[in-house]
Amino acid sequence: MSVSLILLPLAVAAVAAAHGATAGRDQDGRVVCQVQTRMRDESLLTAALADTAAVVAADRDAITADWAGVRAVFQRGDDGIWSAHFTGDVDERRAVEIVGAVDAAYGRQVQRAVLERLRAQAPAAGLRLESEEVTEDASVRLVFAVEGRS
């Protein structure tokens, strides 16, 4: 089976939902539907795919991810919006589940990148990291102290 998904950025997805975006079929008979996502950064997407146990290959035009029996080819259009074409043992429900898992992994990659940036930039801003706590919902609480002040 073959399924194609259009991965809409969250802001665009809200507008599309208001205009009644739905699943359908393309001229080749493939299922095509739109899925909300926050994915933009290619390197974070590649890392997120790897986090979902995909075997990932990237070239200039596409990112290919292989799971057991399923292949997805991610491509970005001229408008910057990603699309994913799934082949193999996959239907629309499974493709949307996979994108949901990749989107969640992407969120963790974004969180990791932001935390690294905060830790790296804190000293230049006169801040010292005093504590770091990961909560039950996997959010991270950082407590900084202002250097040179009591």
Side-chain angles (χ1 to χ4, degrees), residues 14-85:
V15 172
H19 290 91
T22 59
R25 294 193 178 270
D26 68 6
Q27 63 273 13
D28 297 324
R30 295 180 298 206
V31 174
V32 177
C33 64
Q34 297 178 349
V35 178
Q36 295 181 24
T37 182
R38 59 187 141 198
M39 295 182 272
R40 290 186 221 167
D41 183 284
E42 187 172 329
S43 63
L44 294 178
L45 175 55
T46 301
L49 289 164
D51 282 354
T52 64
V55 176
V56 182
D59 63 28
R60 198 180 52 123
D61 299 322
I63 300 171
T64 302
D66 288 297
W67 297 270
V70 178
R71 170 171 275 193
V73 178
F74 291 79
Q75 294 179 300
R76 190 189 317 247
D78 293 336
D79 56 4
I81 295 176
W82 288 98
S83 64
H85 179 69

Side-chain angles (χ1 to χ4, degrees), residues 126-141:
L127 301 173
R128 181 184 74 251
L129 180 61
E130 286 200 332
S131 69
E132 182 173 330
E133 175 188 355
V134 178
T135 64
E136 278 185 31
D137 67 354
S139 62
V140 179
R141 180 179 301 139

Side-chain angles (χ1 to χ4, degrees), residues 8 18 35 47 63 65 83 90 94 114-115 118 123 125 127:
L8 293 176
V35 178
I63 300 171
S83 64
V90 65
R94 179 71 181 124
V114 168
L115 289 170
L118 285 171
L127 301 173

